[in-house]
Amino acid sequence: MSRLKEISDWWKPDVITPEKVKKFINMYPVFKNDVDCPAFKSQKEILEIQNKNLRNQLELCDKYSPYYSNLFKEQKIDVSKIKTVDDLEKLPLTTKMDYMKGSDSFKLKLAGVAGRQLFELVDWNVTMTTGTTYGFPTVFWNTTHDEYSLLQFLIRSSKISWGSPDDRIFNCFPFGPVPHIGYLRAITAPLAIGASVSAGHTGMAYPEFPVLRRMDEAISIAENHNSTIIMGIASYIRRMIMRAEELEVDFSNLRAIHALGEPCPKGMRADMRRRVESLGAEDVFIHNGWGFTECQGSLSECTELGGNHNPDPGLYFLEIVDPETGERKADGEEGVAAITHLNRRGTVLLRYVLGDIVRMTHESCPYCGRNTERIMPVSGSVYATRTKELVKFKGTLINPGLLKDTIENVGGIAEYQIVFAKTDPKDPYSMDQLVLKVAPVAGVNRKDLEKKLGNAVMKAAEMSAKIEWVEKPSDIYDPMVSLKATRVLDARPPLE
Ligand SMILES: [Zn+2]
């Protein structure tokens, strides 16, 4: 029996055990030889590693980070008094706005400093933050030192999510005008563990160099390489699979989908699994990692919805905070996530507030036995809701994350979009109206679906929705035009 066949269902919540995880690790030298991996060390030992790295990082920031050395001076912060990660609460939070105002000032200035190694001085690459939260992307520098640390991070995250050197990984992230971690790390991760990788190279066309491919070509590449893992943005992969069904391709080797970049709730996972099973796949692990530029990869699930593990707590300290006061929240409480870099030389951020509302646990994982912290689902089966997505609607705050989760669990939907609209689009003061645009799956009884959706929306948001049928899924989300599906659209004119 091949190794991939042997481990095919080990990810399942009712099959996974710490013993199976250890057996998997021992199958492959790249994982077995990683003896310093803190995942199974005690929490006390993990904290010791974090505290040691933090002190070194703070010293570097104090001397060589223009932003932090200035901040420490201005606020009279004596960093030598910050000895443990618990002391971090004495530091103010760093916001996206601070970072965006001058990303260069967060890069350590080590050039010309005696005793530094070449690895710490060379800029290996840059990536940029996704989305246009503030209108344009922000640069994140990686030195060679950082790139080596990323290889370690990616080996450790692959180890959690059952990626192996035997895999043939298909990088489904689109190519585009901005270097995002998705496309880049879906190359680095397979290479780091010794797997093979191919890519679709779809994406945003640049007419002067017409080098990108159409989705159908990408699908045939994934098929020809007998791909075992597909990595990409959740809604984009799903769209690719829907097209693959029309083309009746053979995906019988597929064993995992790394649905990244956005939430992939339970209903969406079930939908994707059903579709790839119709193309010959079995026991497919649909892995919804929680990734962001500032960790240059993603936290990883060992089993579906078991929580997203921090693969490398020696590199990153995560905490859940109150964004107003900077106070740390206890395990289980919701708040915004903040990251502190513990061993970087390029861009370094301390208590940097990510835009997501999440919750965390430090309990040992009952599935894999790891002792690293995990991000747990906040609403339904969704790990993170964006703070900007909390919407004031009909006078109450509603959580679109929960709404999306509920809608996706209904089934029978090819694409959908939640629109916060006005009953009279010309009258900004008319009543709010929740519109649900739905492109149904062919053959679905629309009357039944309408009833089910009505009930689901009522349950999640305590209000009714007007259903608008859309004939073509691409009228809601066209993967040739944008990277991600816009699931929530606030179409109400701003009130002045
Ligand atoms: Zn686990």
Side-chain angles (χ1 to χ4, degrees), residues 16 21 160 300-303 306-307 309 364-370 372 374:
I16 185 174
V21 169
I160 295 167
S300 299
E301 290 180 315
C302 60
T303 187
H309 290 269
S364 297
C365 178
Y367 300 104
C368 69
R370 287 182 175 86
T372 48
R374 280 172 295 150

Side-chain angles (χ1 to χ4, degrees), residues 56 85 90 115 147 206 274:
N56 187 42
V85 289
K90 293 175 191 160
E147 194 69 14
Y206 186 42
R274 208 166 40 238

